[in-house]
Amino acid sequence: MKHVFLIVLAVVCLAFRPVASTYQIQPATSQLTWTGYAEVGTWAPSGTLKLHSGTFEYAGNALRQARLEFDMTSVAHADAKLQEHLRSADFFDVQRFPTAVFVLRSVSQGQASGLLTVKGITRPVRFPMAVVAQADGLHVQGTALIDRTQFGVNYNSSSFFQNLGSYAVRNEFQLKFDVVGVPVSMNK
């Protein structure tokens, strides 16, 4: 009898699980800012990146699933020469790999875990994030530190090259994001 009660209780709890709503990413209002760092000194160039598309599922104050596609051809910096270098084969090779993709696997205690694919290489990533409801939709916000060398972006990395001195570029770069999504029903 105890087992039957537990099974019924589990079914009832699952029945009352909040229904997930699908949200469409709004690339025009979402903001992504990257910052790279020199190994030596204070040089820390910053720029932007745009989303191409994406969706996420949200239910009961929890982000359940997400898939974001980044437009790597949009990697931007105020210095046109640096911008072109970042888009070149030395860094993100945007001609061959025009998009990068992040697929959320789980969120636990404010930590997102998922798979990031850059330059055709997929690696697990983990970073803090929060979901904030605002008038224009749900905002998924946070900052991720990403080791570029895990995705074959080895240019001037002291992990791969010696005697770089002040030309060494830190392996990790920061990606700060505020991704805006609206319910699919509002987007039609």
Side-chain angles (χ1 to χ4, degrees), residues 36-45 148 155-158 161-170:
Y37 303 94
E39 283 280 344
V40 178
T42 60
W43 190 65
R148 65 189 173 92
Y155 182 82
N156 280 12
S157 166
S158 57
F161 305 100
Q162 296 180 3
N163 304 319
L164 292 170
S166 63
Y167 293 104
V169 178
R170 195 180 302 171

Side-chain angles (χ1 to χ4, degrees), residues 23-66:
Y23 285 75
Q24 187 71 39
I25 300 305
Q26 302 298 292
T29 54
S30 296
Q31 297 177 348
L32 299 136
T33 306
W34 59 265
T35 303
Y37 303 94
E39 283 280 344
V40 178
T42 60
W43 190 65
S46 225
T48 60
L49 177 66
K50 293 181 182 176
L51 284 168
H52 180 267
S53 62
T55 59
F56 60 83
E57 287 186 11
Y58 184 76
N61 297 327
L63 194 59
R64 288 193 182 164
Q65 294 179 356

